[in-house]
Amino acid sequence: MEPEKTAQRVPIRELVRYYLRLGLIGFGGPVALVGQMERELVGERKWLTKEEMREGIAGPLAIQVGIWISYIRGGFWGAWAGGWAFILPNFVIVTVLGALYIHFGGLSAVRAVFYGVSPAVIALILHSCYRLTKLGMKDWLEWALAAAAFVITVTVKAEVALLFIGCGIVGMLYYGSLFRKRTSSSTTTSLLAGLPLVATSAAPGTAGAMLGKLFTFFLKAGSLTFGSGLVIVPFLEKGLVQQTGWLNEREFLVAVAMGMISPGPVVITATFVGYLVAGFWGAVVATIGIFLPSFLLILIVAPILMRYRTNLNVQGFIKGAYAAAIGTILGACVLLGRIAIGDWLTALVALVSLIVLFRWKVSNPLLVAAAAVIGLIAFPLLKPEWIFVK
């Protein structure tokens, strides 16, 4: 990492202003957000060189790219200010939506909206997964690891962290240099492999303190965001629905939908979950928990790993973990699809949504708005009883 590549230093207030705006109007998920940052900050504002932007895109999430840019242009405090400015508008929006959902959640109109929206969310996840496969899946081993992760997720519903670590180790053994030549950079591989373990072994909060439990849970989730915010969907479904029972399946789909359709980072889903579970302060601690690992990754780990980014062992671990991400996202689609798709109309909405996304590339909010209208019209006519028994 060499912040000195350009002499320009951006005032922190300018970073905050830019990321407040991006967090308010930045729809379309991580790929779209990173593309917008590259277009505006490299092409228009000249804050970054192309090389610096490429280094930043090594971070898997849009928020991590934002923190990286803020760090190299504004230093340590610039990274904190720019990163939280990116998150703040979305936090406010999703918290308000959470309050409205709690207040009006019992109304049939709300159920009707999500009758139409839930299958569209499945289509959105599948389309995003397709884009991720085009970016990172290149050979037979990655596809084999993805298939294994898919099967395990669907049949066993295993802990996602273990899948990632296991696939990462396989990738490290196959692509790395452990059996080729001994190198002095092997400690870097150990550091990378240990990142998820550190988070998943975090100490639990005070017994009986819901806020502490929420923070610990989302701190774990935030350490698993390889490749895309969607990677944590299986982890969240397992923890929130199956293990803790904090949400039912339909509430979980609503939370995923909120993350997909709102501006800014997709993992803002955590804010909505936190509000449903423990109100405003639940939203606060869940948001801090989910995003804190991204700040730590950029500010502490990334400067070390950047020195070894060409190391074969590091690259191998990342390839294996990325393949696991693809498999777990597809597995999550199957699990969530069983809840979202229960009749001919929801199946049709999912199929048409996929076709629209691949053919015309409409924005997420527009697609979800159309699906919501379909739900409002069809729900009172079809009266789908399966919604209340799933």
Side-chain angles (χ1 to χ4, degrees):
M1 177 182 298
E2 296 183 57
E4 307 81 36
K5 281 185 178 179
T6 63
Q8 184 179 13
R9 186 175 179 87
V10 179
I12 290 179
R13 64 179 179 276
E14 292 296 325
L15 291 168
V16 169
R17 187 178 296 121
Y18 174 78
Y19 281 107
L20 282 173
R21 171 183 166 274
L22 184 64
L24 185 62
I25 66 172
F27 291 94
V31 176
L33 285 169
V34 170
Q36 184 173 342
M37 281 188 268
E38 183 173 19
R39 183 175 63 254
E40 294 177 347
L41 300 184
V42 177
E44 298 173 9
R45 302 191 182 215
K46 309 295 183 186
W47 284 4
L48 296 156
T49 65
K50 291 181 180 179
E51 291 73 21
E52 287 170 329
M53 189 68 193
R54 257 186 236 113
E55 290 174 354
I57 294 176
L61 296 177
I63 182 61
Q64 291 171 357
V65 177
I67 295 169
W68 164 268
I69 293 170
S70 298
Y71 177 75
I72 64 174
R73 289 284 79 87
F76 179 85
W77 295 113
W80 285 103
W84 288 112
F86 193 8
I87 297 163
L88 180 61
N90 208 6
F91 170 81
V92 173
I93 292 170
V94 174
T95 300
V96 171
L97 290 174
L100 293 174
Y101 181 80
I102 291 290
H103 187 69
F104 296 107
L107 298 180
S108 60
V110 174
R111 292 197 293 270
V113 166
F114 289 102
Y115 171 64
V117 165
S118 296
V121 170
I122 301 300
L124 284 167
I125 296 175
L126 284 172
H127 182 252
S128 296
C129 189
Y130 169 76
R131 294 167 69 181
L132 291 173
T133 61
K134 290 181 65 178
L135 287 175
M137 302 290 283
K138 294 182 173 61
D139 62 29
W140 70 271
L141 180 63
E142 289 173 294
W143 285 107
L145 291 175
F150 170 80
V151 172
I152 292 172
T153 301
V154 172
T155 60
V156 185
K157 300 177 182 178
E159 186 76 17
V160 177
L162 298 179
L163 286 175
F164 277 40
I165 295 168
C167 290
I169 291 173
V170 172
M172 183 174 64
L173 294 174
Y174 181 79
Y175 299 109
S177 60
L178 294 179
F179 297 112
R180 301 179 190 179
K181 182 181 177 182
R182 189 171 182 177
T183 67
S184 61
S185 57
S186 59
T187 55
T188 306
T189 304
S190 300
L191 177 61
L192 180 66
L195 284 176
L197 289 171
V198 170
T200 54
S201 62
T206 305
M210 181 58 71
L211 294 181
K213 292 177 181 178
L214 274 171
F215 178 78
T216 302
F217 177 83
F218 282 107
L219 190 67
K220 294 177 183 179
S223 71
L224 303 177
T225 48
F226 295 95
S228 168
L230 293 175
V231 169
I232 63 171
V233 168
F235 178 87
L236 295 180
E237 194 273 341
K238 180 180 176 67
L240 297 172
V241 178
Q242 300 175 44
Q243 293 178 338
T244 65
W246 289 343
L247 303 180
N248 60 41
E249 289 90 344
R250 191 148 299 279
E251 288 172 334
F252 179 71
L253 272 174
V254 171
V256 174
M258 291 300 175
M260 295 290 292
I261 67 175
S262 58
V266 173
V267 290
I268 203 69
T269 292
T271 302
F272 189 81
V273 173
Y275 195 94
L276 293 189
V277 174
F280 174 76
W281 291 111
V284 171
V285 299
T287 303
I288 294 173
I290 199 75
F291 286 110
L292 186 59
S294 291
F295 284 90
L296 297 179
L297 178 67
I298 299 301
L299 296 176
I300 299 175
V301 179
I304 300 172
L305 293 184
M306 283 301 296
R307 300 176 191 173
Y308 302 95
R309 60 187 180 274
T310 58
N311 179 275
L312 293 176
N313 296 323
V314 173
Q315 291 179 347
F317 185 91
I318 292 174
K319 285 182 179 180
Y322 193 92
I326 299 299
T328 53
I329 292 173
L330 289 174
C333 281
V334 172
L335 299 175
L336 295 175
R338 294 171 181 172
I339 306 302
I341 302 172
D343 57 23
W344 67 269
L345 181 62
T346 48
L348 183 62
V349 169
L351 179 61
V352 172
S353 297
L354 265 179
I355 294 172
V356 168
L357 286 167
F358 278 102
R359 182 68 183 270
W360 291 286
K361 299 180 181 178
V362 301
S363 66
N364 291 359
L366 182 61
L367 177 66
V368 171
V373 171
I374 293 173
L376 285 169
I377 296 172
F379 187 82
L381 298 175
L382 299 179
K383 297 184 168 115
E385 295 183 2
W386 59 271
I387 285 184
F388 303 99
V389 297
K390 281 198 176 187

